[in-house]
Amino acid sequence: MSFIRRMLRLARESDSWSPEAKGFESNALSTVKGMVSIWADDTHRGEKLKGHHLNRWAKNVLKGVQELNEVFEEDEKLKKEVK
């Protein structure tokens, strides 16, 4: 999450229409895309997770999504303060 926070901060500090800012935002979103791709995989060694393994997986995914939500809400709040 620290990488995403850093990329969003760098994008916020750059000129909003600069290629640099777009690159920082792209890096953050590519990282999120990779994280979601990993979270979407509910298999282990080719077999679907079941029972308590599935519950643990779902709780970890939810925790990650909530943490990402906090990161983006924090970024939006900081953007509004700057304007």
Side-chain angles (χ1 to χ4, degrees), residues 1-8 26-42 57-58 60-72:
M1 295 297 169
S2 62
F3 177 77
I4 295 171
R5 278 190 176 96
R6 186 170 57 249
M7 289 298 109
L8 292 173
S26 177
N27 289 341
L29 292 176
S30 295
T31 302
V32 170
K33 180 182 173 186
M35 292 169 75
V36 170
S37 175
I38 290 169
W39 291 339
D41 184 14
D42 64 346
W57 168 81
N60 285 336
V61 170
L62 179 60
K63 181 181 172 187
V65 170
Q66 289 172 333
E67 193 173 343
L68 271 175
N69 187 46
E70 289 172 9
V71 168
F72 282 100

Side-chain angles (χ1 to χ4, degrees), residues 41-64:
D41 184 14
D42 64 346
T43 59
H44 178 66
R45 296 182 180 161
E47 296 181 16
K48 285 282 215 183
L49 295 173
K50 297 177 184 169
H52 71 280
H53 297 295
L54 182 60
N55 288 340
R56 186 175 55 217
W57 168 81
K59 287 178 183 178
N60 285 336
V61 170
L62 179 60
K63 181 181 172 187

Side-chain angles (χ1 to χ4, degrees), residues 8-19:
L8 292 173
R9 179 183 52 81
L10 290 171
R12 200 173 45 250
E13 291 172 354
S14 300
D15 182 30
S16 62
W17 295 105
S18 72

